[in-house]
Amino acid sequence: MPPLGWTSGGKKKIQIQLSDYHFEYTECDVLGSRWRVAIPNKADTCTGLPDPVKGTQCTFSCSEGEFLDMRSQKCQKCAAGTYSLGTGVAFDEWDSLPTGFVTQGVTVNDWNAHTDCSNSTWTPKGDYVASNMDECTATLSYAVSLKKPGTVFFEYFYPDNSIYFEFFNIFLIVELNKGNNVLYWRTTTYTVLDSAVKPVLLRNIAISGVAYTSECFHCKPGTHSTKPGSARCAPCPADTYSTKGATVCHQCEQEAGSGSCKPRPPCTNSDYFYTHTPCDSEGKTQLMYKWIEPKICNETIEGAVVLPASGEKKTCPPCNPGFFVTNSSNCEPCTSGFYSNGTACTECPVGTEPVVGFEYKWWNTIPSNMRSSILRPEAINSNHNTAWEVAGEYVYTTPGDQDTDYLMLILNVPGYSLPQSTVKDRERSELSRITFVFETICSADCKLFFLAGYNEWNNNIVERWNGSNRKQSYSYLIQSNSTVTFAWTFQRTGKFNTRKYSADVAKIYSIYITNVVGGVASQCRRCAVSSGKADSACVPCPAGHYMVNRTGECKSCPPNTFIKAQHPVGQAACIQCGPNTIRNKAYSSCLSDCTLDMQTRGGTLLRYDFSPLSNVTGFNSSPRFTSKGLRYFQHFRVGLCGKEVRKLWLFSLFGKFYVTPFLTCCFSHTGPSSSYVCGQCNREWERGQRLCLSVHFINSVLSCEGVTTDTTLGGISSPHGLFPATSGLPDVIFYYKSSETTQACKEGRSATIRLRCSPTVTAKDHITMPSNCSEGTCDGCSFHFLWQSQHACPLCTKNHYKEIVSACIQGIQRTTYVWQQPLQCYGGESLPAQKVSACVPLDLWLKFGVSTGSIAAVLLVGLSCYFWKKTRKLQYKYSKLKMTTGGKECELPTADSCAIMEGEDAEDDLMDLTKKSFFTKMKSFSREVSNHLTRMELQISQPSMFHVVNVFSEIIRRF
């Protein structure tokens, strides 16, 4: 037998301590049995471990207040100062990460693998565990095996929308299946707005359905358990305290649930608040002051303030509109069909209908559908849950335990319903609108948030105001009937302080919301009735008609106008459509039918057809990068025109993240052909998915203001400098505008889409943004886009091409048509086909001309010689005639026998030129000339040069 401490092989045994290993059970086999094995706590511990032994049956479990001692494999009671849930486990201490929890950080973009995310994990903070605050993804996981179906419960605080927080089951209490379950809590931070973010806080995780717990949990400070086998710890009473794992509580002057004692500071004005009491049976109310609970100050020491005395009783203000005062001085709502100004209910007259909603402007009590609550970034226990208090003319935020508390006022709305006169005309009617008047007075970096959503845990930030803000009104249009909860949240500062800025306050003076299901009426309005009977029901005016206020008569609006008002009363409700737009069939807005006729300065008519661009298209901005190199970009979706396009939408979810294969946050209630523009930020996500963060705005409906080539329209500007032109053809600009104003956009939001003719761009969605505003907007209010496409060119006409005529080649001549350059048209008329025609070649005409010219020249020379000879003979006769006259004037020579005798007719000797040859005609003509000369010789006694000229003129004329 080997000596003690040595093995049979002569090797010394390694001494194993109990802290070097722990016991676990193996998986249950088909017979429901398992083994207990020792698992080393250090990787290098391989020998000296206890041998496996038979474990308990898989159906085994311990009761509440007990734990399973794995050494004896028996249930033992928890000691005093500890507790256990029996068939559950709870984690409410986070000094370190509890056993079984694993946390790790990974990068979300595989292409940027050099980013170090190893330190981006969940960090224990004592009472809670906090998420990461950088752009890595931090995962907290816990694996548990349940012997029966169970649940997981946890508390979390999600203060910052710049963090994407995901639990695979998003509810606070989640059902778990029997068997193995792995729970994940995952966060990813996005610092797109270049501001510090706040981590997600997680605490009090409890899981039920396990077979046993192998350890008991210590009671938290401020709680205790006096007896062994406790299932939970009891809080210490007021003025006592306890430390971790306490069995008793110790007396001190401190608030309930404290883990230590501190001296109470003297009371100040920040330790109390004022409120108005509800109306009593006499109709009186009173201003009262109350200490903030829990009270942590001392009013008896030197320098402390005392609680001010209550004010005098005063007559209660009237009830809120739509309510009336009962005999017990309570306010009750008027019944349907009645209205009230806050005193008594009156039935609406015939031809009118009640304006139903909720209007709160007197604050003697918090309305029944409103409540206040507090969200605390610091995981502390507190009995103070009053966030907003009534003060007669307004409701305001009370001082809290910490200045970082989120003070919430929540309004629950059951739904919305249109009035009877507009229920059949939903297209041009507002579903609902909420309007409130508020004010903030701050000395620190306070924030007031207005939120809307399905419930108080699933709200989206609609608007936010920083610092002090004068008394003002804000209005929010409700587009969907799913929005049923509104919340006003006020935080005094983001820095941890204890009532340092308690004087900072937010006040709400009035809240008015329209068309609420189950609402009350504060007034009645005129409506059109179905007939002339006294009990006729209200009906909407026909489409394109407005109502005359005094008579209720419906009249038609002028041509090409639409009804923009919620209740179209008076001709002012008819709004003229903008240039080159037409009203839609519902008379609710104007639209472009994708066609445009434009006259240029030179008088040329250009026709456009944008129908190929009418479908919705998407495009991205240039990539941008966060401080850790995470790439993101803006994604927009644009619909330009169409026959049924009604509205252009700018819609996004403020700061909420969604993981989908591809997410778009644009919606339209008018169908797939609707026109809209929306902005959102898509981020790449693992496994080919995308993560979306929208940072622009929420629920803005933009209507088409007009289509023109002008750079300004209706207060909207599209400067040339944003997109310098490269050709002389003007751009066509679509203008859109929203009348909904926000804190950032006092004049509402607008968008311009500039269409530029680019015949070489074949892609339909070649859309760019200004070079100096890479995200489409420089101020978040005005968006500008340049859409270049061949479909943005005018339709081609005959003026856009010219013809080229070729030379006559072998008797054939071709006419070809080509486009004018640079080409600035597309579609329309096509180029005519090439024309081919017969022709006479040029060399044939040249030969004919040369021949004809030669013949004419020979003939001319012959005639010249002939007449020259004749002229010589005539000159001879003339000289002879002159000599025979003897120099006497007015004396004629003696006539020769060949002269014309008296009584002869000169016309008898006319030449018959039609039946003789050319030379015969010439001889006849010569003889006739001689005869004329003979006659002239008989008539003149002294010839002159004048006579000679006349003779030759006559010769030429006759020839």
Side-chain angles (χ1 to χ4, degrees):
M1 183 174 182
L4 186 63
W6 292 81
T7 64
S8 58
K11 295 182 179 180
K12 184 176 178 62
K13 287 184 177 180
I14 300 176
Q15 297 295 325
I16 299 296
Q17 304 294 327
L18 294 178
S19 60
D20 293 336
Y21 65 91
H22 66 277
F23 291 109
E24 290 185 7
Y25 282 126
T26 62
E27 294 290 338
C28 295
D29 56 24
V30 293
L31 300 177
S33 61
R34 55 190 172 184
W35 292 80
R36 189 199 69 176
V37 296
I39 306 298
N41 294 331
K42 298 180 180 179
D44 56 354
T45 305
C46 300
T47 59
L49 297 174
D51 295 330
V53 299
K54 187 79 171 177
T56 60
Q57 292 294 316
C58 292
T59 56
F60 171 84
S61 63
C62 293
S63 302
E64 291 183 348
E66 296 180 342
F67 72 100
L68 178 64
D69 183 0
M70 292 295 289
R71 299 184 62 85
S72 63
Q73 297 194 70
K74 293 182 180 180
C75 295
Q76 302 288 341
K77 287 186 177 181
C78 291
T82 63
Y83 73 99
S84 78
L85 301 177
T87 58
V89 291
F91 306 96
D92 53 11
E93 294 181 9
W94 299 92
D95 295 327
S96 61
L97 208 61
T99 303
F101 280 87
V102 177
T103 179
Q104 61 178 345
V106 296
T107 180
V108 298
N109 45 337
D110 297 335
W111 60 271
N112 194 14
H114 66 274
T115 302
D116 184 13
C117 293
S118 58
N119 295 325
S120 300
T121 58
W122 289 73
T123 305
K125 296 288 187 180
D127 288 334
Y128 54 86
V129 58
S131 69
N132 64 320
M133 293 182 290
D134 55 25
E135 293 155 4
C136 297
T137 295
T139 302
L140 178 68
S141 62
Y142 181 76
V144 62
S145 179
L146 304 183
K147 75 164 191 174
K148 61 181 180 179
T151 61
V152 57
F153 169 84
F154 62 91
E155 298 176 2
Y156 71 94
F157 181 67
Y158 187 10
D160 201 323
N161 285 326
S162 295
I163 298 180
Y164 166 61
F165 173 55
E166 177 187 16
F167 178 66
F168 284 163
N169 294 289
I170 62 175
F171 305 99
L172 292 176
I173 300 179
V174 182
E175 300 292 334
L176 299 178
N177 297 324
K178 178 181 178 180
N180 294 327
N181 293 268
V182 181
L183 309 178
Y184 293 93
W185 293 266
R186 184 164 63 186
T187 58
T188 304
T189 303
Y190 295 99
T191 56
V192 179
L193 301 179
D194 297 327
S195 59
V197 298
K198 300 174 183 178
V200 176
L201 308 182
L202 185 65
R203 69 171 184 174
N204 294 343
I205 301 176
I207 303 172
S208 65
V210 299
Y212 59 87
T213 176
S214 57
E215 61 178 335
C216 294
F217 302 96
H218 292 283
C219 292
K220 295 176 59 178
T223 64
H224 72 289
S225 64
T226 58
K227 297 179 180 180
S230 297
R232 56 190 56 84
C233 298
C236 291
D239 298 330
T240 63
Y241 75 97
S242 68
T243 58
K244 180 180 179 180
T247 58
V248 295
C249 297
H250 304 283
Q251 192 72 29
C252 76
E253 293 184 357
Q254 184 56 272
E255 66 267 21
S258 296
S260 61
C261 285
K262 296 179 181 179
R264 293 178 181 266
C267 293
T268 65
N269 294 332
S270 299
D271 292 310
Y272 65 86
F273 64 94
Y274 59 94
T275 183
H276 277 246
T277 62
C279 291
D280 56 20
S281 58
E282 298 177 354
K284 300 290 184 179
T285 184
Q286 187 179 20
L287 179 67
M288 293 187 63
Y289 297 88
K290 296 181 180 180
W291 293 113
I292 298 174
E293 296 295 340
K295 181 182 177 184
I296 62 173
C297 66
N298 191 340
E299 58 182 316
T300 60
I301 61 178
E302 184 179 358
V305 300
V306 296
L307 194 67
S310 299
E312 297 181 358
K313 287 189 175 183
K314 297 181 179 180
T315 303
C316 288
C319 296
N320 282 310
F323 292 81
F324 69 97
V325 182
T326 64
N327 294 333
S328 58
S329 298
N330 294 326
C331 293
E332 296 291 337
C334 295
T335 58
S336 178
F338 287 75
Y339 72 100
S340 168
N341 60 358
T343 54
C345 298
T346 305
E347 187 175 6
C348 290
V350 176
T352 64
E353 62 180 349
V355 181
V356 178
F358 284 126
E359 184 177 3
Y360 304 111
K361 62 180 182 179
W362 299 111
W363 302 93
N364 245 37
T365 59
I366 293 290
S368 58
N369 60 344
M370 298 180 69
R371 66 182 182 87
S372 67
S373 65
I374 299 177
L375 286 177
R376 296 181 174 88
E378 300 298 326
I380 60 174
N381 292 319
S382 175
N383 295 328
H384 177 221
N385 292 313
T386 301
W388 295 72
E389 272 291 346
V390 295
E393 295 183 353
Y394 55 84
V395 59
Y396 76 104
T397 53
T398 64
D401 293 323
Q402 309 294 338
D403 289 339
T404 54
D405 290 348
Y406 288 88
L407 309 177
M408 302 179 63
L409 180 65
I410 301 167
L411 169 63
N412 294 312
V413 180
Y416 313 97
S417 178
L418 291 172
Q420 181 66 31
S421 63
T422 58
V423 69
K424 296 180 181 180
D425 193 18
R426 297 179 180 271
E427 176 60 31
R428 59 175 180 168
S429 302
E430 287 183 1
L431 178 61
S432 181
R433 183 184 293 269
I434 183 171
T435 304
F436 59 91
V437 178
F438 71 98
E439 179 185 20
T440 57
I441 303 173
C442 301
S443 58
D445 55 334
C446 69
K447 300 179 182 67
L448 176 64
F449 302 89
F450 174 59
L451 305 95
Y454 299 109
N455 53 61
E456 61 183 288
W457 302 108
N458 187 18
N459 275 341
N460 298 315
I461 298 176
V462 176
E463 190 60 88
R464 62 184 293 174
W465 297 267
N466 298 327
S468 296
N469 291 273
R470 59 177 177 79
K471 187 177 180 180
Q472 58 187 278
S473 175
Y474 178 79
S475 181
Y476 169 67
L477 180 64
I478 302 166
Q479 303 287 350
S480 173
N481 206 6
S482 59
T483 304
V484 295
T485 300
F486 301 97
W488 294 263
T489 302
F490 181 73
Q491 185 188 40
R492 291 184 168 88
T493 181
K495 300 178 182 179
F496 183 80
N497 290 297
T498 303
R499 302 183 185 178
K500 181 178 179 180
Y501 300 108
S502 296
D504 293 358
V505 64
K507 300 179 181 180
I508 296 179
Y509 292 88
S510 64
I511 301 174
Y512 179 51
I513 181 170
T514 62
N515 300 339
V516 179
V517 173
V520 294
S522 59
Q523 60 179 327
C524 295
R525 64 184 173 195
R526 173 71 64 179
C527 65
V529 294
S530 57
S531 66
K533 299 181 180 179
D535 57 349
S536 297
C538 289
V539 295
C541 286
H545 289 68
Y546 66 92
M547 188 182 67
V548 180
N549 189 22
R550 294 183 178 179
T551 63
E553 179 186 2
C554 295
K555 288 189 176 182
S556 177
C557 284
N560 206 30
T561 59
F562 67 99
I563 300 294
K564 189 175 183 179
Q566 160 67 7
H567 194 66
V569 178
Q571 191 172 357
C574 304
I575 309 299
Q576 185 69 38
C577 287
N580 300 307
T581 60
I582 59 174
R583 66 185 177 194
N584 61 357
K585 295 181 179 179
Y587 292 80
S588 61
S589 63
C590 295
L591 55 91
S592 169
D593 61 356
C594 295
T595 62
L596 174 66
D597 292 343
M598 184 185 69
Q599 198 85 18
T600 64
R601 294 181 179 178
T604 304
L605 179 63
L606 300 179
R607 295 183 180 273
Y608 292 84
D609 182 9
F610 304 123
S611 55
L613 307 178
S614 61
N615 294 331
V616 176
T617 184
F619 59 97
N620 300 326
S621 66
S622 301
R624 299 186 66 187
F625 299 88
T626 61
S627 59
K628 275 190 172 290
L630 181 65
R631 181 176 64 174
Y632 72 95
F633 52 89
Q634 296 285 358
H635 179 75
F636 298 91
R637 292 180 65 83
V638 177
L640 190 64
C641 57
K643 294 182 179 179
E644 291 300 325
V645 177
R646 297 178 177 89
K647 293 179 181 178
L648 179 146
W649 287 71
L650 289 173
F651 184 92
S652 63
L653 303 176
F654 223 100
K656 287 293 183 182
F657 293 81
Y658 296 87
V659 181
T660 60
F662 184 83
L663 177 71
T664 175
C665 64
C666 301
F667 301 93
S668 172
H669 68 279
T670 57
S673 63
S674 299
S675 172
Y676 52 84
V677 168
C678 91
Q680 69 182 26
C681 178
N682 290 317
R683 302 180 181 278
E684 294 188 356
W685 189 248
E686 56 187 348
R687 296 187 300 276
Q689 294 180 325
R690 297 187 183 230
L691 195 62
C692 170
L693 164 65
S694 182
V695 295
H696 284 313
F697 39 83
I698 181 170
N699 251 14
S700 293
V701 183
L702 276 71
S703 59
C704 184
E705 295 293 302
V707 181
T708 179
T709 57
D710 297 335
T711 56
T712 57
L713 178 66
I716 312 172
S717 178
S718 178
H720 285 300
L722 294 176
F723 306 101
T726 57
S727 67
L729 191 67
D731 298 332
V732 178
I733 307 174
F734 282 70
Y735 289 88
Y736 298 90
K737 188 176 182 180
S738 170
S739 58
E740 299 298 319
T741 61
T742 63
Q743 179 71 9
C745 303
K746 302 292 186 181
E747 303 297 327
R749 293 186 172 90
S750 62
T752 63
I753 303 176
R754 182 183 286 262
L755 298 184
R756 178 167 294 174
C757 173
S758 297
T760 58
V761 178
T762 57
K764 294 183 179 180
D765 55 352
H766 186 71
I767 304 176
T768 57
M769 284 152 280
S771 58
N772 58 335
C773 304
S774 59
E775 296 183 359
T777 178
C778 295
D779 56 4
C781 301
S782 300
F783 290 78
H784 305 280
F785 307 102
L786 174 63
W787 195 337
Q788 300 181 73
S789 173
Q790 58 187 2
H791 301 292
C793 298
L795 299 177
C796 295
T797 63
K798 293 181 179 180
N799 297 327
H800 290 96
Y801 62 82
K802 61 182 178 179
E803 63 178 21
I804 299 177
V805 181
S806 67
C808 185
I809 302 174
Q810 297 180 354
I812 298 176
Q813 190 175 49
R814 302 177 185 274
T815 303
T816 306
Y817 299 89
V818 296
W819 294 113
Q820 299 276 6
Q821 295 299 326
L823 181 62
Q824 293 184 334
C825 69
Y826 182 80
E829 292 191 14
S830 303
L831 279 176
Q834 188 183 62
K835 293 182 179 180
V836 179
S837 59
C839 62
V840 180
L842 179 61
D843 56 350
L844 180 61
W845 285 107
L846 182 60
K847 292 177 181 179
F848 176 76
V850 172
S851 302
T852 305
S854 300
I855 295 173
V858 173
L859 182 59
L860 182 60
V861 171
L863 289 175
S864 298
C865 294
Y866 175 78
F867 283 114
W868 177 78
K869 186 177 180 180
K870 280 291 187 180
T871 303
R872 296 283 294 177
K873 291 181 179 180
L874 291 175
Q875 186 179 6
Y876 171 76
K877 290 183 178 183
Y878 175 76
S879 300
K880 184 179 179 181
L881 180 64
K882 183 176 181 182
M883 289 186 296
T884 57
T885 57
K888 297 180 180 180
E889 293 183 0
C890 302
E891 184 178 346
L892 293 176
T894 305
D896 294 335
S897 60
C898 61
I900 300 175
M901 301 303 291
E902 186 178 356
E904 289 181 342
D905 190 358
E907 294 298 326
D908 294 341
D909 296 331
L910 289 176
M911 294 182 295
D912 187 2
L913 299 179
T914 60
K915 297 181 181 181
K916 296 180 181 180
S917 64
F918 177 76
F919 291 101
T920 306
K921 293 179 180 179
M922 293 300 297
K923 291 178 68 177
S924 301
F925 179 73
S926 179
R927 190 166 47 247
E928 185 178 356
V929 171
S930 300
N931 294 335
H932 278 283
L933 290 175
T934 303
R935 293 172 188 164
M936 287 188 290
E937 289 174 356
L938 297 175
Q939 295 176 0
I940 60 175
S941 60
Q942 188 176 359
S944 64
M945 194 64 188
F946 174 78
H947 298 103
V948 175
V949 172
N950 287 339
V951 170
F952 279 98
S953 298
E954 179 66 17
I955 292 171
I956 294 173
R957 185 185 66 80
R958 294 295 304 270
F959 178 75

